[in-house]
Each structure stands twice: as structure tokens, then as C-alpha cells.
């Protein structure tokens, strides 16, 4: 007791200090921190600030190390502040850890906060925190447990996860939902940083998903989203459950607490939509399950608020990801319209994003919104512009590529962000390379711009693939020549100008091209090219890599004679270079320029690139290796394996043996890496149903349809659309003629329309739109189908595996319904079935026929109990009329040792032509016996078998995990004389109360036990009021009904104890309070208090 | 998933920083610098989203304070915006009409609220009532774990 007082006293100062309660938070500006902050704001120069902070840090350092400072918390807050300003306070790190370790709860909280702000995952001091976290995880103070879980999810050394994992796992069963929720999120974090550490607890995640608290369930979805992303096939069975949850959320079945601005649990909704889209991708049957709820989500989200738009966006994405359904697609398309046309810029942005996602499957949608897209392209906000380009990139085809690339290059010129530049340059290069032949000059010019804008940041494969394209050429020799010549022509003026401004990569490309192809230009003297190249060598900022490219080019070019002097000079300069590569190139140049024959052999002009054969397996070394192995050398291990082994030998083994189950290996099936483009099938389906009616038919397949505008006419003529089939063409034409006459549009509008017509040309003919450049709609559709089949088979395989690992989905489903709505017993039972099927532990019965008891569900981990060495039943007697069998008869078959004890009613279980099963249970003091009566009722058997018998099996039952009802499931297998074996399944339900026995303890023992039990529950029960002593009466009633032991009654309080067979105690503390009996149950066994309280309730109700 | 959250003033002074993934000090400094310059340079009526490297930056200004959230690029930007808004609501409820000064002088409280709201880069609790109840319960905390009242406060 005294230490409680002491602790309270130490907590007092902190309570009285600045932050005693939230309302007075502003008071703290009078504290030392307040002084510091005010001091800083009054300063004018950075220098002064630095001086002040250094002074402050010194003061903190001094105080922090004095042994019994009472200010630790405050000091820590001050050092956090200094660190936030950018000054290092590393001396306080260790004190932060100490504070988290030793402080009072309030100090601990600041300590943990400081640690999480100061250190990161790899900091060595963090190891000192592990023990603290371990201790706090086991604390009985819930706040401490919460803090530990928070810090664990913020940062925890990866290698130490095994040390705390069991404790965190245990918290999944904690009675408080806040703890369960935090534990789930901590596990999620572990899953992210070290997935293999949590592999063995996948089934626990499933339990979290079934949690009765929606918050815990929501938290578990983070893990599921990750796991499903990695392997959607393994979780298909959960689809109906996710759909059910979403339905209930959308239908407003969650408590009000989960609402955000009157929208029910938006975060949960979005998480579920994401999961569904992953599950329904390329899977028609799974998608079909979702259609209804998606439709409902679309309809429900009506309110004009950001959050509903966020939901709508995910909905649309999901609809376009899963197997298409036409009316949903139609609704989704309308929804996108709302986004794109919104005056709010944020919504417009998201609309563009959605459109970008969708046009891959349905390019017509872009056509609908072309004017908006054009407007966005000129938007002052670069982000909007950027997103628009992304959209255009997806709808590029052979006809609009030049315009789109031009827009992209325009953007590149104004963009300052490196990341954007790299990305966009890559896209331009990709587009340009897709259509090089069509526009020779355009291709080269575009690539020139790409190289000069992209500079040295761009992906190195861009110049590589450009050079490859140039050298490999295409089918036509003449075209190739033209392309190369054009490249040469464009480079010469660049070199004559200011080559110093060009990026190194570009210079390398230029020198290579000139070396190879400058001879194509007949009016160009090699000497001039050489001198231009030599100029590059002299430039200060040329890198040595560029120089070696230049030297290579020169080697190819020089022919001796007049050029000799230039090359001679250059090779002399560089043959003494410190850079070995340069030196080698210089020597090559020197020798080859003097020996034209050798040069012609080594560097033949205009040679097609040969395909080099590389023996990547290094098979020519096999002999050497086998000799070495024979001589006793250790076999080769790849570096990662070596590293792993090293790590293993170094690290502490914290894992208990046998924990690392190799289960989840099987679940890593082939994930579907299909690109979204291949989904284009949906556009085939939706093409006819998309509503184009509402929109004026101003834009046709070839662009603007107004006939009276010569500009547009010209645009149409200019751009041929060769890909369109004749039929489509005709259709387009007819549309064209039907269009009503347009009123003349003002000038700028016309400009926009012209741009539109050039941007969206060729869009309607689907075949021309493809992201990957290979536009074959038919094969795509075919491919998709084939893929589907492949998936199907792997799905089946997975299904088998998963079903053997986890409880049946029906149970999960039931639970979800149950937890989100009201609890009803049926589903609870379902849970029991899956959990308690293991409860048949021993079997010592006697049996005539061969009986087999197996689990009903697919857990398969319990070995079936087979009893071959049967003993003849206690009293098998002839029975001639099994049909009229009565209870009284069966009573006599009870085994002798049980007959004296009270047994439950003998209930018929099931029957078929040959067997009749009945059962009852008998309560013994230390066990519960299940007695199964098996009767032969078969007519034929009577004739052929010696005697018709009743056999009696008795099984002693124990409970592994408490539940309200225990259901025993079994199978009787038997063999007919004809030789066919048959089986009969039965199930038998026993209430938990049958397993409860009184527990005799003294009040002192009770007291010590009470404190040590961690699982508890509280509830108010009805009192029996017909007596003067309501407490005693109620307790006696409970005692009678549930076999409890009343330890002591003191005034208005009573303590009661019982145990669950064999020896699992449960303590009960009752207090009369305002006409109710406040009951508090505690037990070391999870769920036991909850189950027991249920039975207490029932017992009192039935009175 | 969220990567970081920053609060800074109109002058670019950092008021709060939360990192959800492990990052070196240098990276952090660079991000803080980039974010303050990028966000402060935005024109008034532009949209609230930006691209930075492979991340999406979602920011919003409340009075003199900028809230800036870095999320992975496949995240929903509007939702991120609402995360910021809910955090502001939480601060407002706790401090009662919150202003920048409250956060400057009580930044540790702002951290505690954030920890109850977000965890490991994901939303942990969206209910204003529950977050506030647990913060207040921890504030009033005493050392003895037999005292029932805070359990009722916190978990009731």
C-alpha cells in the first residue's frame, strides 16, 4: 500500500504543474519553455538565435545530468523544441530513454515522445528502449500499454521485433478495444518493415478482422490491403465478407462515432473499395458479388463535401478496375463528369486523375471532356497542367502524337522539378520512339529537345535506346539513311554554336552519331567534323566519359592525310592522361589512324550491330570449379546468402524454437502483373451504352464537326485516319452530316477547338489507342481470356491451401454480420464450432463398431481419434425394436460408473437406416463425460449380424478456449457387412456451464489471485428483489444454477469463485449498486469472463 | 500510407514534424526545406496538391499555419486533405478555438493528439470524442492502476 501512496505523491507535482488539465493549456506560456519561445521571437538575427539556443542547451545539459532533478519532463520538452529549431541536442537522447524507463506515467509519455522524435529506427540507443517497451507491454496500467504500442509502431529496431512479438500478439485478445486496435496497427507496421517476422500470425489477422469492435476491424484492413495486394488469389474467399461490411457501413449501421461530417466511416469505406478492386480485378465471378454494393455506394454519396468525392473517386476507380458491368460504368462515367466540370480546382484535379485512369479502357470519355482538358492544359497551376499531360500521354496515337509531344516539351521548358523532368522526358522519348518513321525530322528534333532538356538527369536507357534505334534501323534502307542524315545535319550546327551548354549525355550521343554517320553527308569534310569534335575535348566542363566517346568517334573518322595533324595532337595530349580509359582510347586513335587497313577491319563502316553471344552462365569455368571442389574448396554462395548467414550467426536468437512455420510459402502464387491497358475489353462492352446523347454532337471521330468552319475542314483533311475501318468512317460521316449548324465561334475559341481536334483525333477508333504501342484489340481480348483461365486454376490451388489453414469463411461472414449489428447467438455458435472443435481431447470409450471422431471443419491439425483396440461395451444386450427406443431404455445403458451421477436428458442426435445416435453428458466433479449411444437399427443387419447392439462411447471433454456453448462434432464411420464403409456425422451442444465447478478459496487467496488476472469484464445484472437480502438471494440463485462458490459476503459486496475444468479459475466480484448487481469478473483465460457473464444473465433471467 | 506531416508558419518556421517512416536527419532537413519553400510559393487559388519526387504533397493553410502531409502517390488526395482537417478539428476541440500560439507553446500536446489520431502512417481513430477522451484521460493520469475512474473516462 505504501508504494501506492508514494507513487501518487511523486505524481502530484506534475499534476499541479502547467498541464493539469486541458482547459488551462495556455497558462504554460509562463513556464521556462514559454520564456524560451518568447525570447526567440523577440530576436532579430539568426546569429542571436543561435547564441540563445546554445546558452539554453548548456543550461539544459547541466540540469539534466544532476541526479535528482524533478524537472525532467520540462527539460525534455525544451530539448525537443531546440531540436525542432534545427539545433542538435544529442546529449539528451539518453535521458529521454531513461525518462521513458523510469519516469512516472506522465513523464514516461514525454520520454517516449522525445525518443520517437530524436531517434530513428537504426539508432543504436534504441536498443536500450527494448526492455522498457517489454515491461510496459506487460504493465497492468492500460495507458502504459498504449504508450508502448504507440512507440513500437513509430520506430522499433527490426531485429528486436521477435522479442516483443508474442506480447503484441497477446494484446489482440485484450478486452479493451483501444489496446486491440493499437496492437493490430503495430503488427501492421511490423508487417511493412519485416514481413517474414509476422508470417506465422496470419490467422490472427483474420481474428482481428472478425473483431466485434469496428475500429479494430478497420485497423486490420490495413494489413489485408497489403496482403491482398501481394497475393489477391489467397483472399478471394473473403470477398463476400468485405462486401457485407461495406454494405453495412454504407447503410449507416455503424455507431455515430464513426461518422465524419455525417458520412459514415469514410476511411473504412475507401479501404474496402480498394480491397474490392484488387479482389475483383480480372475475375468475373468475384466482381459480380460487388456490383450491388458499388451501385449503392455511388448512390449514397450525394452530399457535396470533399469526403464524399473522395469516396466517389475510389468507387469509380474500383468500377473500372473490376470486371466491367455496363450500367455501373455508365454511372461512373457520369460521376467523372461531375468531377471534371466542377469549378473547384481540387475536384478538377481528381477528375483528371480519374479520367487518366479510365481512358485506358474507354478513350471516348476523354472525347466527352475535351474542352475541359484543353482548358486544364493552359491552367496557371502547374500541377493541373502536369496531370493533364499525363492524361494526354495515355490517349496518344499516331495521329496526335506530334501535338501532345509538343505540349509536353512546352511544359518541360517551364518545369523546375527534377523528378517531373525525368519522368516527362522518359514519356516523351517513349512516345517519340513509338512513331519514329512517320515523322523523321520530328523524331530527331524531339529527341534533341529531350536530350538538351533532360540533361544528365534522365534515365540512361533513353540515349541508349535512341542510338540502338538509329543503328538497327527499320525495314527501309532509304528511310534509315534519311533519318541518320537528318540527325547529322541537326548536330553540326549545334556543335558550331555553343556546345558548352549542352549536357554531357547529349554530347556523347552527338559524338557517336557523327562518328558513325557523318560520312552520309557528302558536303561535309571529315576534317571539319574532327575539328568540331576536338573542340569538345578542350572544353573545361567535358567529363572524361564524354571525352572517351569523342576519342572513339575521332578514331572512326580520321583517314590520315590532312586530318593527321589534329589526331596526332589529340592523341599525344591524352596518351599521358591520368585516366586509364582516356589513355587507352588515345593509343587506339594513334595506332588506328596510322593503319587504315586495321581500322577498316576493327571498325567497319556502316556495319549492322552484331548480336554478341555472351555465356552468362560462365560454363567455360565449369572444369575449373569442379577441380577446385574436388580439391576441397567450399562451394560458392551468392553474396546475399552469405550476408544472411552472417546476420543469423551474429544476431541473438529471440525466437522460441519451432515458431517459424513454413506455411505461407504456399500462398505466394503468381500474382497478376497484367497492365491496365490490357483491360481494354471493357470499352468494347461499354462502347454502346455510354451516353453521348446528352452532349451536343459537336465533336465527331475526326474532330470538330461543324461544317461551316473552313478551319476545321482543313484540319480534317490534313489528318488522315488510316486506322479507321470503312464502316466507322461511314458512321462518322453520317454523324457529320447530321450535326446542326453551329453558331460562329469567337477567335480564341476557334483556336482551342483546333487544338482539340488535333489532340483528340483518332481517339474513337479504339485500335489506335494503346499505352504499350502494340495495338491489337483482338489478340488482347484473347490474351485476357487465356489469362483468366490461368488464374482460375491457380485460384483453385490456393483455395485448397487456404481452406486448410484457416477457419471456414462462413464463420467469418457470420461474425461480421453479427458484430456490426446486434449480437445473436447463432453466429456466436458458428465461432464456437471453429474454435472448439479441438475440444475433444481424450476418448476412453468402449465401442463395438469402429468409430472415428474427427473435426468437422477443415483445420485438420487434430489427429483423428481411431480406436482399433475396442473393448466390448459395458452392457450390450439384444434389442429388437430400435424404432421404439425410449430414453428409459437408454438410461440402462449408461456405464455403471456413471449411472449414479446426474446426467442431462438423453437427446437423439441423428439417424439413418442403419444407425441411430443419441447422447447425453454427465457431470463429474473433475470432468465432463459425453456419452454417445450408437444403436444398430438396420433391418438387414438384424438378419445378418449375430446380435443387434447398442454400444456406448464415453468421452471426457475439456475446454481449451471458453465459449458460451461448446459444440462437439464427430463422425461415426462404420462398415456394412456388404463391405461398403459409411459414415454418419453428428454434433452435440453443451453449454459452458456444464464445465463450471465451484472453486473453494479463502478470501486472502482470492485477493492475491484477483490482482494477477488480466482478462476482465464488467456488467450490471438484475437483482432478485423478492427477498429482504437481494444480494444473498441472487448469489444463491447463481450458485445453484451455475455451481459457483460464494467465498464471502461483506455488506453490500460479495465475492464468488468458480473454475472451468480442469483448473482455470474465474473470480467474480459483486456489488449492489442502485438496484443493480454490479459484477466484475476476472480470469487468466481470455473470453471466460465474457462467456460467464452471459450465463449469469441467462440464469437470472430464467428465474 | 502517409510518410510525414509538417506544420509550419507563414514565415517558414517549423512547428511540428512527424515522420512515419525511418529517415535520416539529412533527408528530413531536405524535406522540411523543400516543403516550406514549395508550399509557401504557391499562388492563393491553386489546388492543394503537389508532386514532390515520388510523393504527393497535400497541404492546407489554417490561419497563419500550414499543414503539410506527404502521402504515397497512389493515395487519395481528397482523403488526405480531410485527414488534415480532422486533425485541426481535434486540436480545436482540445485547445478550444485553437490558434498558432497554442501549438507553439504546447507542441507536445499536439504530438500526443497526433499519436492518438494516426499510427504507423495510417488513420487509427477517426472519432473526435474518443481521441479527446483518451488524451484527457492520459493528461489526468495518476499512478495507481486500481483507480477506476480513468478507465471509465478512457475506455467507457
Amino acid at each position: 500500500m505504501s508504494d501506492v501512496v508514494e507513487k501518487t505523491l511523486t505524481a502530484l507535482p506534475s499534476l499541479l504543474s502547467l498541464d493539469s488539465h486541458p482547459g488551462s493549456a495556455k497558462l504554460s506560456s509562463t513556464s521556462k519553455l514559454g520564456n524560451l519561445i518568447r525570447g526567440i521571437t523577440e530576436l532579430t538575427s539568426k546569429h542571436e538565435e543561435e547564441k540563445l539556443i546554445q546558452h539554453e542547451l548548456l543550461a539544459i545539459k547541466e540540469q539534466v545530468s544532476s541526479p535528482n532533478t524533478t524537472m525532467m519532463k520540462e527539460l525534455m520538452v525544451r530539448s525537443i523544441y531546440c531540436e525542432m529549431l534545427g539545433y542538435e541536442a544529442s546529449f539528451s537522447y539518453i535521458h529521454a530513454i531513461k525518462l521513458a524507463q523510469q519516469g512516472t506515467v506522465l513523464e514516461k509519455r514525454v520520454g517516449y515522445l522525445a525518443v520517437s522524435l530524436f531517434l530513428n529506427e537504426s539508432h543504436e540507443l534504441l536498443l536500450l528502449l527494448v526492455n522498457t517497451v517489454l515491461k510496459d507491454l506487460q504493465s497492468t496500467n492500460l495507458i502504459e500499454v498504449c504508450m508502448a504500442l504507440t512507440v513500437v509502431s513509430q520506430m522499433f529496431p527490426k531485429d528486436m521485433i521477435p522479442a516483443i512479438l508474442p506480447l503484441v500478439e497477446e494484446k489482440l485478445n485484450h478486452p479493451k478495444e483501444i489496446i486491440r486496435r493499437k496492437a493490430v496497427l503495430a503488427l501492421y507496421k511490423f508487417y511493412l518493415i519485416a514481413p517474414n517476422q509476422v508470417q506465422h500470425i496470419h490467422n490472427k489477422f483474420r481474428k482481428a478482422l472478425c473483431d466485434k469492435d469496428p475500429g479494430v476491424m478497420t485497423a486490420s484492413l490495413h494489413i489485408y490491403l497489403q496482403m491482398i495486394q501481394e497475393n489477391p488469389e489467397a483472399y478471394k474467399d473473403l470477398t463476400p465478407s468485405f462486401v457485407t461490411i461495406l454494405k453495412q457501413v454504407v447503410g449507416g449501421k455503424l455507431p455515430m462515432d464513426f461518422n465524419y461530417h455525417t458520412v459514415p466511416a469514410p476511411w473504412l469505406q475507401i479501404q474496402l473499395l480498394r480491397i474490392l478492386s484488387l479482389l475483383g480485378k480480372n475475375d468475373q465471378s468475384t466482381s459480380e458479388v460487388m456490383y450491388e454494393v458499388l451501385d449503392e455506394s455511388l448512390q449514397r454519396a450525394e452530399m457535396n463535401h470533399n469526403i464524399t468525392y473522395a469516396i466517389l473517386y475510389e468507387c469509380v476507380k474500383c468500377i473500372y478496375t473490376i470486371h466491367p458491368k455496363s450500367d455501373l460504368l455508365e454511372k461512373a462515367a457520369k460521376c467523372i463528369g461531375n468531377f471534371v466540370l466542377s469549378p473547384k480546382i481540387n475536384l478538377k484535379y481528381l477528375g483528371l486523375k480519374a479520367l487518366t485512369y479510365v481512358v485506358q479502357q474507354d478513350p471516348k470519355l476523354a472525347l466527352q471532356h475535351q474542352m475541359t482538358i484543353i482548358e486544364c492544359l493552359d491552367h496557371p497551376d502547374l500541377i493541373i497542367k502536369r496531370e493533364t499531360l499525363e492524361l494526354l500521354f495515355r490517349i496518344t496515337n499516331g495521329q496526335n502524337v506530334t501535338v501532345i509531344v509538343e505540349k509536353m516539351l512546352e511544359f518541360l521548358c517551364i518545369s523546375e522539378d527534377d523528378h517531373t523532368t525525368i519522368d516527362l522526358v522518359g514519356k516523351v522519348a517513349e512516345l517519340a520512339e513509338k512513331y519514329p518513321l512517320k515523322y523523321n525530322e520530328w523524331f530527331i528534333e524531339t529527341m534533341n529537345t529531350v536530350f538538351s532538356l533532360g540533361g544528365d538527369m534522365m534515365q540512361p536507357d533513353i540515349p541508349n535506346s535512341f542510338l540502338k534505334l538509329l543503328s538497327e534501323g527499320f525495314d527501309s534502307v532509304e528511310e534509315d539513311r534519311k533519318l541518320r542524315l537528318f540527325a547529322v545535319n541537326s548536330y553540326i550546327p549545334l556543335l558550331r554554336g555553343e556546345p558548352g551548354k549542352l549536357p554531357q549525355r547529349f554530347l556523347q550521343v552527338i559524338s557517336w552519331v557523327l562518328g558513325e554517320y557523318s560520312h552520309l553527308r557528302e558536303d561535309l569534310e571529315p576534317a571539319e567534323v574532327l575539328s568540331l569534335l576536338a573542340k569538345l575535348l578542350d572544353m573545361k566542363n567535358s567529363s572524361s566519359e564524354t571525352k572517351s566517346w569523342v576519342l572513339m568517334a575521332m578514331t572512326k573518322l580520321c583517314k590520315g592525310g590532312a586530318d593527321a595533324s589534329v589526331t596526332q595532337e589529340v592523341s599525344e595530349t591524352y596518351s599521358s592522361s591520368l585516366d586509364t580509359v582516356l589513355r587507352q582510347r588515345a593509343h587506339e586513335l594513334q595506332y588506328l589512324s596510322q593503319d587504315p587497313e586495321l581500322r577498316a577491319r576493327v571498325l567497319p563502316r556502316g556495319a549492322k550491330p552484331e548480336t554478341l553471344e555472351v555465356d552468362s552462365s560462365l560454363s567455360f569455368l565449369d572444369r575449373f570449379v569442379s577441380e577446385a571442389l574436388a580439391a576441397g574448396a567450399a562451394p560458392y554462395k551468392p553474396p546475399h546468402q552469405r550476408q544472411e548467414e552472417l546476420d543469423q550467426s551474429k544476431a541473438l536468437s529471440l525466437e522460441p524454437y519451432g515458431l517459424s512455420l513454413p506455411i505461407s510459402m504456399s500462398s505466394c502464387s503468381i500474382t497478376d502483373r497484367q497492365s491496365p491497358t490490357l483491360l481494354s475489353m471493357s470499352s468494347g462492352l461499354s462502347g454502346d451504352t455510354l451516353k453521348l446523347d446528352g452532349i451536343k454532337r459537336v465533336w465527331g471521330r475526326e474532330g470538330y464537326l461543324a461544317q461551316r468552319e473552313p478551319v476545321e475542314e482543313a484540319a480534317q483533311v490534313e489528318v488522315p485516319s488510316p486506322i479507321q475501318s470503312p464502316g466507322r468512317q461511314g458512321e462518322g460521316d453520317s454523324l457529320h452530316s447530321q450535326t446542326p449548324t453551329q453558331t460562329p465561334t469567337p477567335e480564341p475559341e476557334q483556336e482551342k477547338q483546333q487544338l482539340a481536334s488535333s489532340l483528340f483525333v483518332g481517339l474513337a477508333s479504339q485500335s489506335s489507342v494503346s499505352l504499350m504501342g502494340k495495338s491489337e484489340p483482338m489478340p488482347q481480348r484473347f490474351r485476357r481470356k487465356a489469362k483468366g483461365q490461368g488464374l482460375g486454376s491457380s485460384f483453385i490451388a490456393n483455395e485448397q491451401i487456404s481452406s486448410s489453414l484457416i477457419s471456414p469463411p462462413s464463420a467469418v461472414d457470420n461474425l461480421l454480420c453479427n458484430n456490426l449489428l446486434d449480437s445473436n447467438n447463432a453466429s456466436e455458435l458458428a465461432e464456437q464450432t471453429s474454435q472448439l472443435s479441438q475440444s475433444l481431447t481424450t476418448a476412453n470409450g468402449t465401442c463395438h463398431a469402429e468409430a472415428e471422431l474427427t473435426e468437422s471443419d477443415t483445420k485438420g491439425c487434430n489427429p483423428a481419434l481411431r480406436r482399433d483396440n475396442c473393448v466390448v461395451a459395458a452392457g450390450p444386450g439384444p434389442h429388437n425394436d430400435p424404432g421404439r427406443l425410449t430414453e428409459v431404455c437408454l438410461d440402462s445403458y449408461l456405464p455403471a460408473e456413471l449411472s449414479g451421477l446426474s446426467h442431462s436428458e438423453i437427446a437423439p442426435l441423428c439417424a439413418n437406416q442403419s444407425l441411430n445416435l443419441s447422447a447425453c453428458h454427465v457431470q463429474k466433479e473433475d470432468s465432463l463425460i459425453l456419452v454417445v449411444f450408437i444403436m444398430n437399427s438396420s433391418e438387414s443387419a438384424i438378419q445378418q449380424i449375430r446380435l443387434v447392439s447398442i454400444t456406448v462411447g464415453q468421452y471426457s471433454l475439456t475446454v481449451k478456449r471458453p465459449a458460451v456453448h461448446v459444440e462437439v462434432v464427430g463422425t461415426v464411420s462404420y462398415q456394412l457387412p456388404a463391405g461398403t464403409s459409411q459414415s454418419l456425422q453428428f454434433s452435440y451442444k453443451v453449454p459452458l456451464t456444464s464445465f463450471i465447478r465451484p472453486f473453494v478459496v479463502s478470501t486472502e487467496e482470492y485477493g492475491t489471485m484477483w490482482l494477477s488476472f488480466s482478462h476482465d469484464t464488467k456488467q450490471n445484472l438484475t437483482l432478485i428483489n423478492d427477498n429482504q437480502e437481494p444480494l444473498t438471494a441472487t448469489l444463491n440463485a447463481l450458485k445453484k444454477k451455475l455451481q459457483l462458490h460464494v467465498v464471502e459476503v461483506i455488506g453490500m459486496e460479495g465475492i464468488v469463485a468458480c473454475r472451468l475444468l480442469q483448473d482455470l479459475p474465474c473470480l467474480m466480484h459483486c456489488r449492489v449498486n442502485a438496484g443493480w448487481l454490479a459484477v466484475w469478473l476476472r480470469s487468466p483465460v481470455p473470453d471466460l469472463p465474457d462467456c460467464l457473464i452471459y450465463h449469469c444473465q441467462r440464469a437470472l433471467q430464467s428465474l | 500510407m502517409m510518410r510525414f506531416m509538417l506544420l509550419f508558419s507563414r514565415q517558414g518556421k517549423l512547428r511540428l514534424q512527424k515522420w512515419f517512416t525511418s529517415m535520416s536527419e539529412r533527408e528530413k532537413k531536405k524535406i522540411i526545406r523543400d516543403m516550406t519553400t514549395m508550399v509557401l510559393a504557391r499562388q492563393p487559388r491553386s489546388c492543394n496538391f503537389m508532386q514532390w519526387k515520388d510523393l504527393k504533397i497535400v497541404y492546407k493553410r489554417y490561419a497563419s499555419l500550414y499543414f503539410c502531409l506527404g502521402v504515397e502517390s497512389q493515395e487519395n488526395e481528397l482523403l488526405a486533405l480531410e485527414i488534415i482537417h480532422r486533425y485541426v478539428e481535434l486540436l480545436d476541440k482540445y485547445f478550444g478555438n485553437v490558434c498558432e500560439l497554442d501549438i507553439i507553446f504546447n507542441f507536445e500536446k499536439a504530438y500526443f493528439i497526433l499519436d492518438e489520431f494516426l499510427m504507423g502512417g495510417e488513420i487509427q481513430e477517426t472519432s473526435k470524442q474518443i481521441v479527446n477522451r483518451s488524451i484527457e484521460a492520459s493528461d489526468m493520469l495518476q499512478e495507481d492502476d486500481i483507480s477506476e475512474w480513468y478507465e471509465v473516462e478512457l475506455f467507457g
Side-chain angles (χ1 to χ4, degrees), chain A residues 784-809:
Chain A
R784 189 177 185 281
K785 216 170 184 178
K787 193 91 180 179
Q789 279 163 0
L791 285 177
S793 58
S794 73
F795 169 57
I796 291 167
N798 264 317
E799 180 72 282
Q800 284 167 349
I801 294 157
S802 62
S803 67
S804 66
L805 286 175
I806 35 195
S807 52

Side-chain angles (χ1 to χ4, degrees), chain A residues 105 109 140 181 189 353, chain B residues 20 125 139 141 143 145:
Chain A
V105 182
R109 187 159 75 142
T140 50
R181 199 177 59 214
K189 182 77 185 195
K353 233 177 108 166
Chain B
F20 295 108
E125 176 59 66
D139 280 353
L141 191 61
E143 264 293 275
D145 60 353

